Amino acid sequence: MASISSLGLSGLPLNDLLADLRKVEEAPLGLLEQRQAVQQSKISAYGKITNALEVFEAAANNLSSEQAFTGLKTTSSNESAFTATAPKDSGAVPGSYQVHVETLASTQSLATAGQASREDALSASGGTLTFTLGDGSTQTLELTAGQTSLEDIRAAINDADLGFTATLLNNGSDTTPHQLVFSTTETGTDARVAQITSDNADLSNVLGYDEAVASPMSQVAEANDAKVHVNGIELVSGSNTLDDAIEGLSLELKGTNSAVSPDTLTVAHNTEATRKNIDSFVSSYNDLLRTVRDLSSYDAENNEASVLTGDIVARSVQSRLSAALNSVAPDGEFGMLWEIGISTRVSDGSLQVEGDKLNDALANNRMDVAKLFSGEGGLISQVQTAIEGLNGSRGLLTNATEGAQSTISTIQDQYERTQDRIEQKMASYQKQFVDLEKYMSEMDGIGSYLTSQLGMLENLSASNREK
């Protein structure tokens, strides 16, 4: 088939005609592209609503259990002496405690006498070291004949899990500068090393220890238990972290303080955190409504619609959540949000908080506020049901998004089929134009022949007249 570029011998603008015909034929493609763009814009808009809905759902989930309203806040009047935490569901109760930290739990350190070398063996043969700890348990360490220098013993102890570590210090002596130091890894008297014995006399002469008598090794730092007085009652612990010494609390000792004027630990309801969660719930709901409104609004002044103007899914998001938030909770003193200071603006359906009223409800009727939100059949369960109907696997938003994706796929199939038909039609037009070009060319040849013959006849006639 002749190419389009070969057309034009007849003098007719056939290439231009083909280009114009293609524009006409391709007009439906533009309409299909516009339809695809509309569906893609809807998918994007549904995605924005989904994202805002997920943020709101997360805020709602933070209020979905009574524990969200029973959290406690601990305050130490002297954090350099102690702090405390109240883990969730720990069973702690509000209260005030006078705390005096008498001693902190500490680790123990033992040191050998100074040795002339850190590399020379203490014994020609190996042996067993037996460590008896403060709680009565024992640990053993087997040393071979080539493993009895200070460096070797340090490495062997650190490679084992004995409850203490070893290090080498240089005391600056000209003759015996090297000392091996054992330090317990845990605090408290139960973790201390009470005795070190060996079946090798050479090792015992350097590493032997008995806390009850003078020994080759000496204690350079004593292990202590923590002693703390809470409301005058003495508590003893091998650790500076005391779990449940005060029921439900974890008390962390940091330093000592005065017995004459103990510092105060206050445990109170964490109203600040609860209020923050409620404020987040309100603001995320308002953000969701703003997103829906922006995507579905209509500009009457400029006669411009938004991508979801008139969309039933967008309207359903607002109506279903509004219905959930305005439902009546079945239990407790409060049945609706406005009773605790959260009301609905008539202008746009958003929520607004009357801070003093809400704070008063949390201070004086905390558990009734909890029932309003998280009780059986409360507002949060209603909200979660509404969100599942919108954003669940069979929710409106999910179905609408999948429907728009399906429509785009269908339009794409139509687009491709239309393209094929256009190409077939353009090929037909081109063939017709090529045939026309040939025909015109043939007619031009016939015309030239007839003109030539007529010319010859005219010349012949003139010649006869001259005779």
Side-chain angles (χ1 to χ4, degrees):
M1 184 189 301
S3 65
I4 294 178
S5 62
S6 69
L7 297 179
L9 297 176
S10 64
L12 296 174
L14 300 183
N15 282 324
D16 292 341
L17 288 173
L18 277 175
D20 291 341
L21 286 170
R22 179 175 286 277
K23 288 181 181 178
V24 172
E25 295 293 340
E26 288 182 345
L29 293 180
L31 296 175
L32 292 173
E33 289 173 350
Q34 291 176 13
R35 289 174 57 195
Q36 279 187 320
V38 168
Q39 295 301 316
Q40 191 60 56
S41 295
K42 284 189 174 184
I43 291 174
S44 177
Y46 292 145
K48 291 178 181 179
I49 294 176
T50 295
N51 291 338
L53 196 59
E54 288 173 350
V55 172
F56 175 57
E57 182 179 20
N61 289 341
N62 287 335
L63 297 171
S64 62
S65 66
E66 287 191 355
Q67 283 71 28
F69 299 86
T70 58
L72 297 176
K73 179 181 181 181
T74 59
T75 304
S76 168
S77 63
N78 182 1
E79 292 189 355
S80 63
F82 61 87
T83 60
T85 57
K88 187 177 180 181
D89 302 332
S90 64
V93 296
S96 180
Y97 307 90
Q98 297 301 305
V99 180
H100 161 50
V101 183
E102 181 179 342
T103 61
L104 293 177
S106 59
T107 58
Q108 176 199 43
S109 290
L110 302 176
T112 65
Q115 304 295 313
S117 171
R118 57 190 287 166
E119 299 174 350
D120 293 344
L122 299 179
S123 173
S125 59
T128 301
L129 292 176
T130 301
F131 303 86
T132 302
L133 304 185
D135 62 0
S137 63
T138 60
Q139 299 278 7
T140 58
L141 180 67
E142 300 291 337
L143 299 175
T144 64
Q147 196 184 18
T148 62
S149 71
L150 294 185
E151 286 188 346
D152 291 333
I153 295 171
R154 177 194 62 179
I157 287 175
N158 290 338
D159 287 341
D161 184 14
L162 301 176
F164 51 90
T165 59
T167 188
L168 280 168
L169 298 181
N170 188 318
N171 61 28
S173 169
D174 292 334
T175 56
T176 56
H178 305 292
Q179 290 182 271
L180 185 63
V181 179
F182 299 160
S183 298
T184 56
T185 54
E186 295 184 7
T187 58
T189 57
D190 281 352
R192 78 188 189 281
V193 177
Q195 190 178 62
I196 303 175
T197 59
S198 177
D199 56 0
N200 183 313
D202 292 332
L203 295 178
S204 293
N205 288 337
V206 177
L207 302 173
Y209 175 73
D210 190 326
E211 64 181 4
V213 297
S215 308
M217 289 195 80
S218 58
Q219 181 173 260
V220 293
E222 182 181 4
N224 288 305
D225 289 329
K227 289 185 180 180
V228 58
H229 302 263
V230 179
N231 289 349
I233 300 174
E234 182 180 89
L235 307 174
V236 179
S237 170
S239 169
N240 289 316
T241 299
L242 286 73
D243 293 324
D244 283 331
I246 303 173
E247 185 178 5
L249 297 181
S250 178
L251 187 64
E252 188 74 25
L253 307 183
K254 303 291 185 67
T256 58
N257 62 350
S258 171
V260 177
S261 55
D263 295 297
T264 303
L265 170 64
T266 303
V267 182
H269 286 298
N270 196 349
T271 300
E272 180 181 347
T274 303
R275 173 63 192 272
K276 183 178 179 180
N277 284 338
I278 293 175
D279 286 342
S280 176
F281 175 79
V282 170
S283 63
S284 60
Y285 176 72
N286 289 344
D287 288 343
L288 171 60
L289 290 190
R290 191 177 302 110
T291 298
V292 173
R293 185 168 59 249
D294 291 344
L295 293 170
S296 60
S297 62
Y298 179 78
D299 186 352
E301 183 177 347
N302 296 309
N303 195 29
E304 291 182 356
S306 300
V307 62
L308 295 181
T309 298
D311 187 87
I312 189 173
V313 175
R315 292 200 302 270
S316 295
V317 171
Q318 184 169 356
S319 63
R320 291 192 181 191
L321 291 177
S322 177
L325 292 177
N326 285 286
S327 60
V328 179
D331 298 322
E333 181 178 339
F334 306 117
M336 301 187 73
L337 283 174
W338 65 266
E339 295 178 77
I340 63 169
I342 303 176
S343 57
T344 302
R345 291 186 179 92
V346 177
S347 58
D348 58 7
S350 63
L351 299 178
Q352 59 184 350
V353 178
E354 185 182 336
D356 291 343
K357 188 173 183 179
L358 177 56
N359 290 339
D360 181 70
L362 289 173
N364 299 307
N365 300 87
R366 171 177 292 269
M367 295 316 298
D368 284 313
V369 175
K371 289 177 182 178
L372 171 64
F373 281 98
S374 59
E376 186 175 355
L379 299 186
I380 298 303
S381 66
Q382 300 293 329
V383 166
Q384 290 172 332
T385 298
I387 291 176
E388 178 64 22
L390 294 168
N391 209 33
S393 59
R394 297 183 180 181
L396 285 180
L397 279 166
T398 305
N399 290 339
T401 300
E402 292 176 352
Q405 291 170 338
S406 177
T407 299
I408 287 176
S409 178
T410 299
I411 293 173
Q412 182 61 33
D413 291 341
Q414 294 175 354
Y415 188 95
E416 293 172 358
R417 290 196 301 270
T418 302
Q419 272 188 320
D420 291 341
R421 287 197 299 269
I422 290 172
E423 292 305 321
Q424 293 173 8
K425 186 169 288 188
M426 293 308 300
S428 175
Y429 285 148
Q430 182 171 318
K431 182 178 183 304
Q432 293 176 40
F433 283 5
V434 168
D435 291 343
L436 175 62
E437 187 75 5
K438 290 180 180 179
Y439 177 74
M440 295 298 291
S441 178
E442 291 173 357
M443 292 300 295
D444 185 63
I446 293 172
S448 297
Y449 172 76
L450 292 175
T451 300
S452 173
Q453 295 300 313
L454 290 173
M456 290 175 61
L457 289 174
E458 184 178 352
N459 290 337
L460 180 58
S461 177
S463 174
N464 290 335
R465 285 197 300 270
E466 289 177 356
K467 294 180 178 180

